[in-house]
């Protein structure tokens, strides 16, 4: 495939489970959707190096539950053409902080992010700004079984913790 996958070897020399935090936001005055991903490596011993190479499969779902066509815009200052990726993509998270900007169809509503599809990497994922409505949408409409399962797990966890907190 021509991909350099040597970065995956460092998974075998690390202890613990990597953590990724993601946040999806709309660019101001733009038709771009920004996915910001952070690798949290501070819990790892200092001798274990920096960020890992994490294959991060994702899609952006429209209001009908179908994946929107992904068009990845080049980073600021880079002269390159946008990449047409199809309905889903595997992003390469290889830095502590990475930002991906996707061009959306004009006047489209904000999509719901379906992240870590197919359990593309064994990481703990936290999605900032994800609402109960987003989770219910994923549970009802996402074609990816892992994403549906995770949405259901998060909703159940939140419900149980809420019930527990009310009974204290």
């Amino acid at each position: 495939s021509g991909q350099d996958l040597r970065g995956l070897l460092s998974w075998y020399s690390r202890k613990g489970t990597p953590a990724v935090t993601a946040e999806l936001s709309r660019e101001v005055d733009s038709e771009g959707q920004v996915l910001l991903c952070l690798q949290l490596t501070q819990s790892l011993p200092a001798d274990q190096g920096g960020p890992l190479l994490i294959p991060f499969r994702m899609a952006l779902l429209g209001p009908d539950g179908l994946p929107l066509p992904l068009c990845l815009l080049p980073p600021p200052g880079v002269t390159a053409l946008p990449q047409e990726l199809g309905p889903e993509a595997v992003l390469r998270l290889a830095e502590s902080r990475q930002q991906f900007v996707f061009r959306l169809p004009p006047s489209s509503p904000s999509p719901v992010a379906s992240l870590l599809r197919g359990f593309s990497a064994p990481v703990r994922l936290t999605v900032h700004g994800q609402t109960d409505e987003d989770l219910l949408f994923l549970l009802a409409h996402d074609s990816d079984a892992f994403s549906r399962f995770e949405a259901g797990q998060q909703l159940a966890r939140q419900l149980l913790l809420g019930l527990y907190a009310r009974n204290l």
Side-chain angles (χ1 to χ4, degrees):
S1 71
Q3 299 287 324
D4 181 8
L5 302 177
R6 287 178 287 186
L8 293 174
L9 293 176
S10 61
W11 280 82
Y12 297 103
S13 62
R14 301 263 182 114
K15 297 176 187 171
T17 303
V20 173
T21 300
E23 183 173 5
L24 190 68
S25 62
R26 193 79 179 230
E27 276 192 330
V28 179
D29 298 329
S30 172
E31 292 164 356
Q33 195 75 31
V34 179
L35 177 64
L36 175 64
C37 296
L38 305 173
Q39 278 195 54
L40 308 174
T41 56
Q42 62 266 32
S43 62
L44 299 173
D47 63 339
Q48 289 194 11
L52 293 164
L53 171 59
I54 298 175
F56 197 78
R57 192 168 147 217
M58 56 84 62
L60 297 177
L61 305 182
D64 57 0
L66 296 175
L68 298 171
L70 296 174
C71 179
L72 183 63
L73 300 176
V78 174
T79 54
L81 293 174
Q83 287 181 284
E84 301 291 339
L85 303 175
E88 70 177 25
V90 178
L91 305 176
R92 295 170 57 104
L93 302 184
E95 300 172 20
S96 297
R97 175 186 164 90
Q98 279 182 265
Q99 181 173 292
F100 302 93
V101 180
F102 299 96
R103 182 175 52 216
L104 296 178
S107 305
S108 65
S110 291
V112 175
S114 174
L115 304 175
L116 208 59
R117 292 169 70 90
F119 194 54
S120 58
V123 300
R124 287 188 318 262
L125 177 64
T126 302
V127 183
H128 287 293
Q130 192 173 46
T131 64
D132 288 349
E133 290 78 19
D134 292 338
L135 293 171
L136 285 167
F137 183 86
L138 291 170
L139 188 59
H141 298 289
D142 200 338
S143 62
D144 184 76
F146 178 76
S147 292
R148 282 194 317 272
F149 174 81
E150 278 298 299
Q153 291 291 304
Q154 289 179 37
L155 284 166
R157 185 179 314 112
Q158 291 172 12
L159 177 65
L160 290 172
L161 290 174
L163 291 171
Y164 177 76
R166 275 193 279 176
N167 290 321
L168 286 181

